[in-house]
Amino acid sequence: MIKTIFFEDQKLRILDQSQLPERVAYLNCSTVEELSTAIKTLKLRGAPLIGVAAAFGLAMAVTDYKGPADSLEEYFQKIKSLLASTRPTAVNLFWALERMDKVFQVNKAATQQAIALFLRKEPEHMFAEDININYSIGEYGQSLLNANCRIMTICKAGALATCGYGTALGVIRSAARRNKIEQVWVCETRPVLQGSRLTAWELKQDSIPLTLITDSMAGYTMSLGKVDAVIAGADRIAANGDTANKIGTYSLAVLARHNNIPFYIAAPLSTLDLSRSDGLQIPVEERDPEEIRQIKGVQLSLPDVEVFNPAFDITPNELITAIITEKGVIRKPFERELKKLK
Ligand code: MRU
């Protein structure tokens, strides 16, 4: 399994996703500032992975802290805010930072070295937990699929978006292990192309049959009767089940409904944000207009054309057939069922 993030020689090594699929290259982050730039510039991405990376960053910052002992807490909070400011939509980031804060609070009377050690262990736990959670999501999810299944997916929700195995791709992987997958339709996922650059690469690594399409081809492909289910990941799920995920997910859900195709969200419970009553409360990141005007530095439009570039959209709960979590498959009414689980 490809390692997306690990510690080596006092450096956090992260798989540089901006170089895939051309190159498998790792980037060294020696400081938390370097890590926060790497998260902002999408070297590393995907909701669960961003959370664990930020947790590693906090541990690294406390290990390297050189100031007076009585200012350590203030410094910890400053670094926590820095990391929290990197990406606004995926709630796993805030979930992981809060989990690190709890470890800090419980141990803050100890020496800096001891606190750093406790903090360093926590992301390792999160990392291992995330992989186990994804195996569970995979198992529950595959039970929803029949033989010779043709799945459509968007963005990337595999090992590259998590600590391993993946959420939506975890379901596909578990189904493939049972020979249930005939075909995966991979939407390219403009503007940043996570589908064509990352998901297609991951599926190829596992020899799972895939066909790449542009996002605009999804509806026609469904109308031809070539899709049995749509499965997407999630960046944040509100209390009523409304789900933020990569831009284009909402369109797939509408198209799936029109074509009577089940639409599933696969996500760990850490993606659930019960403090947001519905999708309107979820902050949606808007990214650099150049992501749309250019691809890899090649100008595709007038250089000054107006651009709207939301990185995520909200799929209303009524379009979601079920939410696949590590604790089981959640069906409607989502509000009641999600509350019970959390
Ligand atoms: O902007 P990104 O590349 O971080 O967005 C990633 C996604 O939207 C994923 O589909 C989502 O995080 C699901 S993660 C398993």
Side-chain angles (χ1 to χ4, degrees):
M1 201 184 321
I2 186 103
K3 270 226 155 184
T4 42
I5 190 165
F6 58 95
F7 246 110
E8 195 178 64
D9 300 335
Q10 299 308 310
K11 292 183 197 79
L12 194 55
R13 302 204 72 208
I14 60 171
L15 179 67
D16 183 351
Q17 302 190 17
S18 65
Q19 299 211 39
L20 284 170
E22 293 90 346
R23 264 178 306 281
V24 175
Y26 283 84
L27 188 75
N28 289 332
C29 293
S30 315
T31 65
V32 71
E33 287 77 16
E34 281 172 12
L35 174 66
S36 83
T37 304
I39 297 174
K40 270 189 193 153
T41 54
L42 307 183
K43 307 278 187 222
L44 155 156
R45 45 180 124 141
L49 181 60
I50 293 171
V52 174
F56 271 123
L58 267 179
M60 192 159 75
V62 170
T63 306
D64 296 346
Y65 176 70
K66 301 275 186 302
D70 60 358
S71 302
L72 180 60
E73 182 163 8
E74 200 182 311
Y75 177 72
F76 178 88
Q77 295 304 336
K78 194 178 111 198
I79 297 302
K80 190 178 148 202
S81 303
L82 170 79
L83 289 162
S85 70
T86 52
R87 308 271 323 257
T89 302
V91 76
N92 313 61
L93 168 64
F94 308 99
W95 168 87
L97 292 175
E98 286 315 315
R99 190 162 149 173
M100 292 298 277
D101 201 335
K102 278 195 190 120
V103 174
F104 185 90
Q105 296 307 330
V106 168
N107 297 292
K108 67 182 181 187
T111 62
Q112 179 187 345
Q113 205 186 12
I115 300 171
L117 211 66
F118 284 120
L119 289 173
R120 185 68 168 273
K121 283 193 181 139
E122 198 62 12
E124 303 285 358
H125 293 317
M126 289 181 193
F127 190 94
E129 277 168 28
D130 187 59
I131 295 175
N132 284 331
I133 283 170
N134 292 341
Y135 285 137
S136 275
I137 291 174
E139 272 312 299
Y140 283 117
Q142 70 78 25
S143 69
L144 300 168
L145 306 177
N146 296 322
N148 306 319
C149 206
R150 295 148 315 162
I151 308 286
M152 186 173 280
T153 192
I154 186 165
C155 195
K156 61 145 205 311
L160 293 171
T162 61
C163 298
Y165 205 65
T167 54
L169 277 209
V171 174
I172 292 170
R173 284 197 160 100
S174 295
R177 286 179 173 177
R178 289 170 170 79
N179 292 322
K180 284 183 174 179
I181 299 292
E182 182 178 312
Q183 167 80 286
V184 182
W185 294 101
V186 176
C187 296
E188 72 171 346
T189 321
R190 272 285 280 148
V192 184
L193 304 173
Q194 289 94 332
S196 56
R197 298 179 62 79
L198 304 173
T199 297
W201 179 81
E202 254 198 81
L203 290 171
K204 274 272 180 217
Q205 302 276 309
D206 275 16
S207 307
I208 296 174
L210 76 115
T211 301
L212 182 64
I213 55 172
T214 67
D215 305 334
S216 53
M217 294 168 190
Y220 181 59
T221 310
M222 289 184 198
S223 76
L224 294 176
K226 289 173 179 287
V227 182
D228 300 305
V230 179
I231 310 179
D235 288 84
R236 194 184 296 227
I237 302 173
N240 69 347
D242 290 355
T243 294
N245 192 51
K246 182 53 58 193
I247 191 75
T249 306
Y250 169 44
S251 313
L252 284 191
V254 173
L255 290 167
R257 173 57 56 89
H258 186 73
N259 287 282
N260 286 317
I261 297 168
F263 178 91
Y264 299 115
I265 290 293
L269 288 176
S270 55
T271 307
L272 187 56
D273 183 358
L274 291 182
S275 74
R276 313 281 165 151
S277 54
D278 59 41
L280 286 174
Q281 316 299 320
I282 298 177
V284 171
E285 177 181 10
E286 276 190 45
R287 294 190 58 85
D288 187 348
E290 294 306 334
E291 287 182 353
I292 294 190
R293 294 191 191 117
Q294 305 180 349
I295 291 186
K296 293 209 132 202
V298 177
Q299 193 70 36
L300 299 174
S301 66
L302 293 172
D304 56 353
V305 72
E306 281 305 312
V307 158
F308 175 46
N309 186 17
F312 302 92
D313 60 25
I314 309 292
T315 300
N317 61 43
E318 61 264 31
L319 295 178
I320 300 171
T321 310
I323 300 174
I324 307 161
T325 74
E326 69 272 31
K327 295 255 176 85
V329 176
I330 313 304
R331 294 193 185 264
K332 290 166 190 156
F334 290 133
E335 184 130 25
R336 190 187 69 197
E337 297 303 309
L338 289 172
K339 212 182 218 165
K340 269 199 231 160
L341 272 192
K342 191 94 175 184

